[in-house]
Amino acid sequence: MSDAPFPEHTLFITGPTYVRPEVRAAGAWPEYGHRDSENAKRFGPIFADLATIAALPEDYRTILFLGSGSTAMEAAVRSLVADGETVLHVSMGAFGDLWHKISLENGKKAAMLAVEPGRTATVAALEAAMDAHRPAVVAVTHNETSTGVTSDVVALCRAAKARGALAVVDGVSIFGGAPSGIAGSGCDMYCTATQKSLGLNAGFGIGFVSPAAVDKARHVTARGHASDILAHLGRAAKFQTQSTPNVALGNQMWLQLEYIVKEEGVEARFARHAAMRDQALAFVKALPGYAPFAEEGYRSPTVTTVVVPEGMTFADLKAVKEAMRARGYLFDPGYAKLNEDFEAEGKRPIFRIGHMGDITPAMLEGYLRALGETLAG
């Protein structure tokens, strides 16, 4: 147990996520100068390991943004959508909606293809929306954290590019837990972050950008400062960030990514996440009155969503959260706005089981046992 003045809970929420003790401890390693040769000892391997996890094509570039996944998503909009162009957002839930909102707040002409919560976007629907809106850029969610749905990001990006648009992807809650699909999809910018399936603290947004994205950015004005992918590329070539990073997180990231690539192994990590999805789904199906929420065949390997029985409310789920807290776990009662909307429409709320990052099947088994007892009690 930690000797910190705060309680220790194992997080089964969708982010931040559980951080291994070894990774926590690396945060106390010596600080260093981010323009000094010591920086490259950390960030040289970090850039290489991120490329390995992403199965990144050789001509793509990696950028570390100071911030979160939303920072990278905003950079995609600011750097790749020119004045007068339309960006089409394919939204399967709250975080697809958020990206659309980010575009509007940056003064972009933004359209949206909204999919029913719990369902995935189809190529046919995307093609119809593209024919209607003629977008220059299409923004796709790889893994919708609010609903637990994973899209066929390869098929959607290919469809977008076949109609002449750039394709950008929000992979925040799945990168490090499943294949990115970057090489197969040809997406032009894949956005993710440290605090989800990579099993790290928040602090960096991550962007993988194609040669076409770099070329497009040269023709876009008002890209901002921290959101300008071109401004980052010179520093990235030296394994640096645009401005001063969280150096403690740099130490932790070096340790964790080396562990993922060289100890656990990338394919083994992906297989572990898929096994935990199946483990969580088996638990849900065995609970009387409960059911999986996400569309079959598109259920996330990092977060499982669960429909509660008739008569159970969002307030009841918040009470479950406190009961699980007393047992040493942080339970996720579901995305608040989504559940509030569901209840207003007379629908049953959903809760989430986060099983991403360094959560193991044994840890998940213990959590599910405690959750089952709490729900039954």
Side-chain angles (χ1 to χ4, degrees):
M1 294 292 289
S2 170
D3 59 359
F6 305 107
E8 177 107 11
H9 298 110
T10 304
L11 276 55
F12 281 86
I13 59 175
T14 60
T17 54
Y18 164 75
V19 176
R20 293 187 301 122
E22 298 90 337
V23 179
R24 289 189 198 178
W29 288 358
E31 59 274 13
Y32 50 92
H34 69 294
R35 300 291 186 242
D36 184 67
S37 59
E38 282 294 322
N39 183 83
K41 295 178 183 178
R42 281 84 162 171
F43 281 86
I46 285 170
F47 275 74
D49 289 339
L50 285 172
T52 297
I53 296 167
L56 198 66
E58 288 188 5
D59 56 352
Y60 277 59
R61 303 287 298 277
T62 301
I63 294 170
L64 293 180
F65 299 93
L66 307 189
S68 65
S70 298
T71 311
M73 292 157 65
E74 185 164 43
V77 170
R78 291 289 301 268
S79 291
L80 300 179
V81 182
D83 290 345
E85 292 182 340
T86 297
V87 52
L88 172 64
H89 290 272
V90 182
S91 177
M92 303 186 299
F95 291 92
D97 292 352
L98 172 63
W99 207 354
H100 177 252
K101 181 182 178 183
I102 288 171
S103 290
L104 293 175
E105 289 175 340
N106 278 281
K108 302 300 181 180
K109 183 180 178 182
M112 185 161 65
L113 166 61
V115 179
E116 179 186 355
R119 310 290 291 181
T120 190
T122 65
V123 168
L126 172 59
E127 290 174 340
M130 291 189 70
D131 289 344
H133 296 289
R134 303 294 179 183
V137 177
V138 172
V140 177
T141 306
H142 190 173
N143 193 72
E144 176 50 59
T145 319
S146 68
T147 63
V149 174
T150 298
S151 68
D152 185 346
V153 69
V154 171
L156 293 172
C157 288
R158 285 179 174 177
K161 293 182 71 64
R163 277 171 158 70
L166 293 186
V168 297
V169 175
D170 161 14
V172 171
S173 64
I174 197 168
F175 182 78
S180 69
I182 294 172
S185 70
C187 73
D188 295 290
M189 185 167 176
Y190 190 99
C191 306
T192 189
T194 51
Q195 75 273 17
K196 303 281 190 179
S197 295
L198 289 176
L200 286 156
N201 293 306
F204 288 121
I206 302 165
F208 302 105
V209 296
S210 72
V214 174
D215 182 65
K216 175 65 182 293
R218 296 190 180 105
H219 300 88
V220 176
T221 58
R223 297 185 300 268
H225 175 68
S227 56
D228 180 3
I229 65 174
L230 298 183
H232 286 266
L233 289 177
R235 288 298 182 184
K238 301 176 181 178
F239 310 121
Q240 295 179 4
T241 53
Q242 183 188 45
S243 52
T244 309
N246 179 339
V247 295
L249 179 55
N251 282 329
Q252 292 175 315
M253 200 171 181
W254 175 86
L255 179 75
Q256 177 69 344
L257 297 187
E258 289 285 279
Y259 165 79
I260 291 172
V261 171
K262 297 177 180 176
E263 294 186 45
E264 181 176 26
V266 175
E267 294 304 319
R269 190 175 185 85
F270 294 164
R272 174 169 57 79
H273 280 79
M276 291 191 295
R277 172 194 57 208
D278 296 343
Q279 185 180 355
L281 287 170
F283 165 80
V284 173
K285 291 175 181 178
L287 284 176
Y290 295 81
F293 177 71
E295 180 178 358
E296 187 172 2
Y298 298 93
R299 291 169 180 161
S300 169
T302 62
V303 53
T304 295
T305 45
V306 185
V307 183
V308 303
E310 290 287 353
M312 193 173 190
T313 66
F314 188 29
D316 293 331
L317 289 173
K318 293 177 182 177
V320 171
K321 178 178 181 178
E322 296 312 309
M324 289 295 287
R325 188 193 306 276
R327 301 183 72 149
Y329 295 111
L330 190 57
F331 167 81
D332 189 331
Y335 193 80
K337 186 178 185 304
L338 182 63
N339 275 342
E340 290 163 358
D341 289 346
F342 279 172
E343 291 193 325
E345 297 165 6
K347 298 178 181 178
R348 291 179 284 171
I350 64 174
F351 68 84
R352 300 182 289 185
I353 304 169
H355 39 76
M356 63 180 74
D358 287 330
I359 294 294
T360 65
M363 292 169 67
L364 181 58
E365 180 181 1
Y367 174 75
L368 295 177
R369 185 185 309 113
L371 179 58
E373 292 168 359
T374 301
L375 292 173

